[in-house]
Amino acid sequence: MSKIKVLAFAGSARRDSYNKQVISIAAAGAIAAGADLTLIDLADYPLPLFNEDLEAEGRPENVKKLKRLFLENDALLLSCPEYNSSITPLLKNTIDWVSRPDPGEPRLAAYRGKVAALMSASPGALGGLRGLVHVRSILSNIGVVVLPDQVAVPNAANAFSADGSLKDLERHAAIHALGETLVHLASKLKS
């Protein structure tokens, strides 16, 4: 059987995003489980706000690139910042653009049959948990199987060591394990 292909990214464009640090830990877990992992930064794919009039004029090139990545991968590893108790505009806009079908393509082709693992990091005491509820709902409603386990890193400004690992070793291990679990479940669903 071929390797499970995982697309990993944080829902933040901020250069020093805590969620980018967290996704690196989970990505290491997915790689340890044998995944072929592609780690991207959404800052490298700037998109206009989704608008059907823009879509009618032709999809932006970065939409085409992102959609291709989603279609080529079996699973999604997402670290999701929380903005005002919800999903970031960047992540929602990405999900919306990628969801649009090309002519002759089934609805939600980039999402159906995918498996996702979610995590978050936030300077707040809840670690972004409120936003994960919204991300889980959106993904589940567009055909993605979302792992029941998720990990949030509270007080993220003080949570990381200089080497990028989490000071809380149990939480570090839990995030690493999310990447591994994602690969194992995606393998079972693919076979």
Side-chain angles (χ1 to χ4, degrees):
M1 174 151 73
S2 62
K3 278 187 160 188
I4 293 300
K5 296 178 79 173
V6 176
L7 179 61
F9 59 90
S12 172
R14 192 170 66 85
R15 191 173 32 255
D16 297 322
S17 166
Y18 303 124
N19 285 278
K20 288 180 182 179
Q21 290 177 269
V22 169
I23 202 69
S24 295
I25 298 166
I31 292 168
D36 179 2
L37 185 119
T38 302
L39 178 62
I40 63 170
D41 188 332
L42 292 181
D44 295 333
Y45 300 88
L47 302 173
L49 285 177
F50 177 73
N51 177 325
E52 286 189 41
D53 292 336
L54 283 177
E55 181 183 33
E57 295 170 12
R59 291 209 176 99
E61 197 57 38
N62 282 333
V63 170
K64 295 175 188 175
K65 290 176 185 176
L66 279 170
K67 185 165 183 184
R68 198 168 322 127
L69 284 168
F70 275 69
L71 287 167
E72 292 170 354
N73 284 276
D74 306 301
L76 304 170
L77 193 56
L78 306 177
S79 189
C80 310
E82 177 185 302
Y83 284 15
N84 299 316
S85 304
S86 190
I87 185 172
T88 62
L90 173 66
L91 182 54
K92 182 67 167 85
N93 196 47
T94 300
I95 291 168
D96 290 346
W97 270 114
V98 170
S99 74
R100 303 301 290 176
D102 288 320
E105 180 180 75
R107 286 185 68 245
L108 302 168
Y111 294 105
R112 296 254 177 234
K114 300 279 189 272
V115 182
L118 304 179
M119 66 215 71
S120 63
S122 170
L126 297 178
L129 280 174
R130 294 172 298 189
L132 290 180
V133 171
H134 295 230
V135 177
R136 178 177 297 281
S137 175
I138 292 164
L139 293 178
S140 295
N141 281 304
I142 58 175
V144 178
V145 175
V146 183
L147 294 180
D149 295 338
Q150 61 187 25
V151 181
V153 178
N155 305 312
N158 300 310
F160 294 91
S161 299
D163 66 358
S165 64
L166 284 167
K167 293 175 185 174
D168 180 336
L169 299 180
E170 284 183 31
R171 198 168 305 237
H172 185 98
I175 291 170
H176 192 274
L178 269 181
E180 293 174 334
T181 302
L182 176 69
V183 174
H184 295 310
L185 180 58
S187 295
K188 288 177 182 175
L189 291 175
K190 192 173 179 179
S191 60

